[in-house]
Structure formats: structure tokens, C-alpha cells
Amino acid sequence: MIQNIVESTLLYTLELSKLFLFCTLLFKIQLKNSTAAITASLGSILLFAILSIFTDILHSGIPLGIMPGSIIIFYMASRKQFYLVILAYILTCLVDTIVSAIVMFITHSTPEHMYYNFIQSFFTNSVSLILLLLFRFKRIHIASLLKNVPKTLILLFTIGCIALGNYIAVLQLLGFSDSDDFYKRLIILSLSILAIVFLITGFLLLSRQSQLTYLRRESELSQNLLAVQKDYYLSLLEKETETRKFRHDIQNHLTCLHALYREKDYSELGNYLSQLDISLQELKSDVTTGNKLVDAIAVNICRRHSQVQLEWKGLLPNELQISSMDLCTVFSNLLTNAFEAAEKIKPHSVHVSVKILESSLFLTITNSAASAPVVHRGEYQSTKEGKNHGFGIRNVIRCVEKNGGHFETFFENGLFTAEVILLDAIQLVSA
């Protein structure tokens, strides 16, 4: 009895460890409280051991992954990704099923012998863990392959894995029961190998779909970026034309000013100077950030929200160690959100502070806001209508984390603040 309890507990611990490692390492699922999740997992091992005293729970037909999967889903930071936990469990079961077919073919075992032989069962279930560690060593992440893939395709792939696993399991029960029928066992082994081909092909197709979706989004972003830069450079040309006109007329303006001064018409002289000052202010650049790309983005947003005043402190380098796409994503989304919020409540103002410390860039954007942003299960929710909203902050976080940075927000006394820290964003010039 004690041996049965120990073996059952070890197999459950193995399944628990595999699912946790699959979810956190390969699928990059984040837990909101890792300590609590580990504590709950240890508690489930103890509970499983106690249940094994009263019943043969290991051979009761209850899937061992139900309890670990429930723990991960309960403690995961974003439960919208619960389907990834299900996919991870299905993949581990499918791999275990394929490996068991290979082991039974080599050892001439039957499913019943495999089922009740602890050593063979433990070895068979350990192979997927070895593959996991190998993938981790090769820095292969399923999460990166599934990024940008529609959930419907992931669902279809999961259903395919379930159907394939059940099909192979039934064939094993029917085919491997007769240990002397070599050809029948060979056919089942061949189908198991085809299942591996199915898995590899499926992931390659999903990865291809992910790349196509990513390239499509990058293309749309590039087009938007080019449009913003075009408008910005057209405005620069317009200002250059106005500057030339002003230079052309400056002599006439000086003559008029001198005449008014001679006639001691100081009132008209003051009005004339005020008008000249207005003309000079119009010739000044709308925003000067130090970076031409960010200049274009800021000017475009300022013109769309003319009621909002922008105060910019500090200068960005014109050359940064992050891509133009990521730079555009961060500044366009944060500035757009800030201006749209400030437009709804007084004072209509946005303050931007840029600081540089060695190779690190510190960006702070503060704006007036009527209320704090809506955060649901760790994700920012958009209050705008339409299906294409709600991705801005998520895209900012993705770009910041991609470049090894940190993003944080605060809301206090009617002011919303977004802080971005980008490490190694500045290229240091060696002496």
C-alpha cells in the first residue's frame, strides 16, 4: 500500500511539474502570485497522497492534469490565456501517448503492462519533461510561435491534437494487446511517428501565420509612420516658404517701423510690433524634441488636438538604440492617449519630461484626466467604442519589454502619469 501511495504521488508530482514548466517556460504564462501558486501545488501533492490512501486514484481514469491546470488558471495574471493551459496539457498528453507507443513497440509490452508498471510509466512520462528542458536550452518558446495567431486557429489545432491523441490511444489498446502481431504494432508505431509530423507541421503553420500577421501590422504601422513624416515635412516646407516671405518683407517692415518712430506714433508702433511678434511665433517650430521622428509624431498629434497645450522638457537624441517602429509605437500611443484625456478636462495640458542617465532613457508623460484608466485582470481596457481599440497600452508594454525596459502608470489628484525606462537606449560615444 505504501509503495502504491509513493508511486502515485511521484507520478502526480511529475505531471504537475511538467504542466507548470510547459506553461511558464514554453508558453511564457505569467503568474500573478508565484509563491501562492507553488504553495497550492505543494498542497495538491499532499492532498493527492492522502486520497491515494483511500482509493487507487492513479488508475481511476481521472486525468492527473485537472488539478494542476486549475491551479495555474486560478493564479495566472491574465485568465484570457486559459486556452494556452489547456493546449499545454493536451500537448503533454499527446507527447506521452506517442512515447508510450514507441516504448511498447520496442519492449513488446501491452497497454495493461505499461499502465501498471511504475518504471515504464515514469520513464514514458519523463520524456516530455526532457524535451521541455531541451527546448528551453535551445531557447525555443511556443509563446513566440503563437504570437499574433488568431484564437480560432489555436482552437482548431488543439481540437486536432485531442482527436489525434485519442485516436492513437485507442489504436494502442486494440493493436498492442496482441504482443505477437508485429505488423499491427508497426502500423501503430508509424501512425505515432505521423503524429509527431502533424505536431511539427502544425506549429510551423501557426508560426508562419504569426509572422504574416506581424508583417501585416508592421506594414500598416510603416504606412502610418510615412504619412506622419510626410505631413511633418510638408509643414516644414510651408514654414520655410513663410520664412522666406518674411525675410523678403523685413526691409519694408523696418522702414514702416522707422517712420512710425519718427512721427512718435507710439500706439501704432506698439500694434505693429505685436503683429510682427505674432508672425515670428508662427514661424517657430511647433515642437522640438531633439528627434526628427518624434517631432513628426508630436506635431501631428498637437495639430489634431489644438486645445491641448504641450510642455516638453529635455531633448531626445536623434539616434537611438531602438527601432523606428518601436519608437513610433511608444510615443504615438502614449501621446495620443494623453492628448485625448487632457482634451476632456481642464487644464488641457500635457507635460513630457525626457532625462538621460548614461545609456538609459527616462520618459515621463503627465496629463490631466477625468478618471483612472480601467485595468481588468492586469490588462488596460479601452473606453473607446469599436473593435480596433484597446491595443495601444498593450503595444507600448510589448515594445518596452522587448527593448529590456520598464513601464509603469500612476493616477493621483486628477493627473495620470506614464513612466517609461529604456535601458541601453542611448549609444555611448567612446572617448
Side-chain angles (χ1 to χ4, degrees), residues 79-214:
R79 290 180 189 169
K80 290 182 179 180
Q81 295 181 319
F82 74 94
Y83 61 92
L84 293 179
V85 179
I86 298 174
L87 179 58
Y89 178 63
I90 297 300
L91 285 176
T92 56
C93 291
L94 183 56
V95 171
D96 291 342
T97 303
I98 295 171
V99 172
S100 64
I102 297 173
V103 172
M104 282 190 286
F105 179 81
I106 295 173
T107 60
H108 298 279
S109 302
T110 63
E112 185 178 5
H113 179 267
M114 172 76 74
Y115 197 58
Y116 288 99
N117 188 299
F118 170 73
I119 296 177
Q120 283 192 355
S121 296
F122 194 84
F123 171 76
T124 302
N125 287 279
S126 299
V127 172
S128 55
L129 183 61
I130 297 172
L131 290 175
L132 167 67
L133 297 176
L134 180 62
F135 284 168
R136 179 61 177 171
F137 177 75
K138 294 291 185 179
R139 298 185 180 275
I140 299 175
H141 301 298
I142 295 179
S144 61
L145 298 179
L146 300 180
K147 189 183 295 182
N148 303 317
V149 175
K151 293 181 181 179
T152 51
L153 291 181
I154 297 177
L155 177 62
L156 290 174
F157 180 70
T158 304
I159 294 174
C161 290
I162 295 173
L164 187 62
N166 288 329
Y167 180 68
I168 294 176
V170 171
L171 286 178
Q172 286 178 6
L173 290 174
L174 297 176
F176 284 136
S177 298
D178 185 2
S179 59
D180 296 327
D181 195 334
F182 174 79
Y183 292 103
K184 187 184 293 186
R185 297 165 69 87
L186 182 62
I187 291 173
I188 298 174
L189 177 64
S190 301
L191 290 173
S192 301
I193 295 174
L194 286 176
I196 298 175
V197 175
F198 168 81
L199 282 178
I200 296 174
T201 305
F203 276 116
L204 289 176
L205 291 175
L206 290 177
S207 176
R208 179 64 176 170
Q209 178 63 37
S210 177
Q211 290 176 356
L212 290 175
T213 305
Y214 173 77

Side-chain angles (χ1 to χ4, degrees), residues 158-390:
T158 304
I159 294 174
C161 290
I162 295 173
L164 187 62
N166 288 329
Y167 180 68
I168 294 176
V170 171
L171 286 178
Q172 286 178 6
L173 290 174
L174 297 176
F176 284 136
S177 298
D178 185 2
S179 59
D180 296 327
D181 195 334
F182 174 79
Y183 292 103
K184 187 184 293 186
R185 297 165 69 87
L186 182 62
I187 291 173
I188 298 174
L189 177 64
S190 301
L191 290 173
S192 301
I193 295 174
L194 286 176
I196 298 175
V197 175
F198 168 81
L199 282 178
I200 296 174
T201 305
F203 276 116
L204 289 176
L205 291 175
L206 290 177
S207 176
R208 179 64 176 170
Q209 178 63 37
S210 177
Q211 290 176 356
L212 290 175
T213 305
Y214 173 77
L215 291 174
R216 193 181 302 116
R217 290 181 180 176
E218 289 291 295
S219 177
E220 292 174 357
L221 185 58
S222 297
Q223 292 176 1
N224 294 334
L225 184 57
L226 288 173
V228 168
Q229 289 180 319
K230 179 182 177 182
D231 292 340
Y232 175 66
Y233 287 120
L234 286 176
S235 69
L236 289 181
L237 289 174
E238 184 181 346
K239 287 185 181 295
E240 178 64 21
T241 303
E242 294 297 324
T243 302
R244 288 180 180 178
K245 291 179 181 179
F246 186 83
R247 288 175 180 170
H248 180 269
D249 294 338
I250 190 66
Q251 185 62 46
N252 296 329
H253 290 314
L254 290 174
T255 302
C256 292
L257 289 171
H258 187 62
L260 291 172
Y261 176 74
R262 262 193 333 230
E263 294 175 8
K264 297 184 179 180
D265 191 350
Y266 298 120
S267 177
E268 185 62 26
L269 179 62
N271 291 335
Y272 203 111
L273 288 171
S274 297
Q275 292 175 8
L276 280 178
D277 184 61
I278 293 173
S279 298
L280 286 170
Q281 291 297 328
E282 291 177 350
L283 292 176
K284 288 183 178 180
S285 177
D286 296 309
V287 181
T288 302
T289 68
N291 184 282
K292 293 180 180 179
L293 176 59
V294 181
D295 280 348
I297 295 168
V299 167
N300 181 271
I301 295 174
C302 284
R303 290 188 175 183
R304 285 192 279 117
H305 305 276
S306 55
Q307 288 184 334
V308 181
Q309 171 122 22
L310 174 63
E311 180 184 350
W312 192 287
K313 291 184 179 180
L315 292 176
L316 289 163
N318 198 42
E319 297 292 336
L320 291 167
Q321 295 293 93
I322 61 176
S323 69
S324 298
M325 294 296 177
D326 290 343
L327 192 65
C328 177
T329 298
V330 171
F331 277 95
S332 60
N333 282 295
L334 290 182
L335 288 177
T336 297
N337 289 346
F339 272 74
E340 289 178 350
E343 201 171 37
K344 298 176 182 177
I345 187 172
K346 293 182 179 180
H348 307 301
S349 61
V350 175
H351 302 272
V352 180
S353 172
V354 176
K355 295 181 181 178
I356 296 174
L357 179 61
E358 295 182 350
S359 62
S360 300
L361 174 66
F362 297 83
L363 172 67
T364 304
I365 299 178
T366 304
N367 60 273
S368 51
S371 60
V374 179
V375 181
H376 182 63
R377 292 178 179 175
E379 290 190 356
Y380 290 86
Q381 305 294 315
S382 175
T383 56
K384 304 173 189 175
E385 296 181 357
K387 64 179 182 179
N388 292 325
H389 297 296

Side-chain angles (χ1 to χ4, degrees), residues 393-404:
I393 293 294
R394 276 179 264 176
N395 288 339
V396 170
I397 295 173
R398 175 180 59 81
C399 290
V400 171
E401 291 179 349
K402 170 185 169 183
N403 290 277

